[in-house]
Amino acid sequence: MKINSLKIRNYKSIRELSIENIDYAVIFVGKNNTGKTVILDAIRVMTGDKAIDRHDFNNPGHNVEIEVRLEITQEDLELLRAKGVVSKVKNEMGWLADFCNKLPGFSENELAFTFVATPDGKTFYNDGQGKHNHYIKRLLPKIYYIDNTRDLSAFEKDIFHFQGNQSMAELKEQTCIFAQTKKCNHCFECIKSIEKKNPTELPVAETTRLLEYKLFHMNLNEFSNKLNQSFHRNSGKNDDVVYRFGLDFDKVFSLDTTIYNKERKQYESIHRVGAGTKSIYVLSLLETYIEAETSVPSIIMIEEPEMYLHPQLQKAASEMLYKLSKKNQVIFSTHSPNLIFNFLYSKGLKNTLDQLLTDMNEGRISWDELTKDTEIAFAQQVDNLSAATFGNLDENFGEYAGLI
């Protein structure tokens, strides 16, 4: 799943900008304040990953509009059907028919839609039929965004939220043991069934329910019986006061990521290590998570991946980004030639930058061959940031080479 084309209107510094034929890897290069980060923000706004406010309207009297053509491959469709996204129909043909009916903008493995934000704070997805289609947001690819502060807290929480298996999902959702479509009301009717099992056979959800039951009876059962006697007597009613005991998944289960230094035999929180180590950790985390076959393809966006990294680590970062782009769309902005040319090295090219420029000028390497599956867009400032243009780097290569 990837964005094939993008048209942004009236968002921040952009009056109107179109980017067509977008590949699985997109690299935005250029001087500061040319709108590179604005494009990343626009994609986040479109997917719901970032809120929009009144200061984001280039012209306060007009809507922000982001037109998208999203590629959805047959493999994507199979993953979406397996996860029950958009439609719960089990039959393959029935699911696809329901999917197409609910998403009229879907045709020939591509979904066309427009995200609209109005100056009065409303947002909606126009499916081409002149109405808001809430199904569009449900299937949009997950955004993994890493800004230049390398703040990991929200990022890690998001990643590990998806790591649990079905049992952990049921635990977090507090579903009923007997009817998984219903919420647990802590009636504890399941306890007799649970107590018949060997403790080692209990899944996570049943173990938790047994713990809740034991804690409830240890602390509150006798107290609540006495309370209700008093309550009945004083109120003149037969209603019961019921304490509903529950475990807060997010508070009970916490995860602290540490780096273990084998030489010093010490643990140090990931939040206290250098920003360069954090950057490599984040990319490694993404690489490991996304290798799972059951994960739906995502969009990975990073501001200046080279920041805080030694040139050798920049090479490692670019190689990881290239691997991630084989299954997911990778979009990043950069000022470093290392990120671009190391990215191209992943295709087996071993040229230095000077050699590469010479080979290109003398026709031994074509730009199309060099940038296969990779879109490298060059940002140029236009009209004092009221608009920005992004051209292919082959048309502006001399200017870019001058910047480095």
Side-chain angles (χ1 to χ4, degrees), residues 150 276 279-280 283 304-322 332 334-346 400:
R150 303 303 189 254
S279 297
I280 294 298
L283 291 173
E304 301 177 27
E306 73 276 12
M307 190 176 289
Y308 312 113
L309 296 179
H310 180 276
Q312 189 62 32
L313 285 180
Q314 289 183 17
K315 182 177 187 300
S318 66
E319 289 172 348
M320 280 190 278
L321 287 169
Y322 179 75
F332 64 90
T334 183
H335 294 283
S336 170
N338 287 329
L339 259 292
I340 293 178
F341 293 101
N342 283 335
F343 207 82
L344 300 177
Y345 286 171
S346 300
Y400 177 69

Side-chain angles (χ1 to χ4, degrees), residues 33-248:
N33 298 321
T34 51
K36 302 187 299 295
T37 300
V38 176
I39 295 177
L40 304 186
D41 286 346
I43 295 172
R44 294 178 64 205
V45 163
M46 177 271 295
T47 60
D49 186 63
K50 178 180 172 64
I52 191 168
D53 63 39
R54 60 187 181 86
H55 302 293
D56 293 333
F57 291 78
N58 184 289
N59 183 332
H62 291 77
N63 295 339
V64 168
E65 296 185 356
I66 304 173
E67 290 184 23
V68 178
R69 300 191 73 86
L70 185 70
E71 180 181 290
I72 305 175
T73 66
Q74 186 59 41
E75 183 181 358
D76 295 330
L77 288 172
E78 291 171 2
L79 282 169
L80 292 170
R81 183 172 70 86
K83 293 179 177 293
V85 177
V86 175
S87 174
K88 299 295 184 183
V89 177
K90 299 297 183 183
N91 175 269
E92 182 176 352
M93 295 302 294
W95 180 89
L96 183 59
D98 193 32
F99 181 89
C100 293
N101 182 56
K102 290 175 176 175
L103 295 164
F106 179 71
S107 176
E108 297 181 356
N109 290 104
E110 196 173 66
L111 176 67
F113 65 91
T114 302
F115 168 85
V116 180
T118 65
D120 60 358
K122 297 178 181 176
T123 60
F124 60 92
Y125 294 88
N126 189 331
D127 63 0
Q129 305 295 311
K131 60 181 181 180
H132 170 57
N133 190 325
H134 64 276
Y135 291 108
I136 292 174
K137 188 174 181 179
R138 296 185 187 182
L139 64 76
L140 292 178
K142 177 64 188 171
I143 294 288
Y144 291 103
Y145 174 69
I146 307 169
D147 66 11
N148 52 25
T149 68
R150 303 303 189 254
D151 181 8
L152 302 181
S153 53
F155 184 85
E156 279 191 320
K157 183 178 179 181
D158 206 28
I159 284 282
F160 289 116
H161 171 73
F162 289 93
Q163 284 304 298
N165 57 22
Q166 186 61 33
S167 295
M168 295 298 283
E170 291 168 6
L171 174 60
K172 186 174 178 67
E173 296 299 324
Q174 288 285 295
T175 56
C176 174
I177 298 295
F178 293 138
Q180 294 181 2
T181 57
K182 298 180 180 179
K183 284 279 187 181
C184 172
N185 63 6
H186 294 91
C187 66
F188 295 123
E189 291 181 5
C190 57
I191 295 301
K192 289 183 179 179
S193 173
I194 293 173
E195 288 181 330
K196 293 178 181 178
K197 298 182 180 180
N198 187 310
T200 59
E201 298 174 347
L202 294 179
V204 173
E206 292 185 5
T207 303
T208 305
R209 202 69 71 241
L210 184 60
L211 175 61
E212 290 175 338
Y213 175 76
K214 296 293 185 183
L215 288 172
F216 178 84
H217 281 273
M218 180 174 63
N219 296 311
L220 288 175
N221 195 38
E222 184 178 348
F223 175 80
S224 62
N225 287 337
K226 291 180 179 179
L227 170 67
N228 275 308
Q229 290 174 14
S230 178
F231 180 71
H232 296 158
R233 183 176 62 252
N234 294 323
S235 68
K237 295 182 179 180
N238 198 37
D239 297 337
D240 284 340
V241 176
V242 178
Y243 291 103
R244 299 178 64 179
F245 189 89
L247 292 176
D248 188 315

Side-chain angles (χ1 to χ4, degrees), residues 280-296:
I280 294 298
Y281 163 69
V282 166
L283 291 173
S284 302
L285 180 63
L286 271 172
E287 184 179 23
T288 305
Y289 163 64
I290 288 171
E291 281 178 352
E293 294 183 0
T294 57
S295 64
V296 177

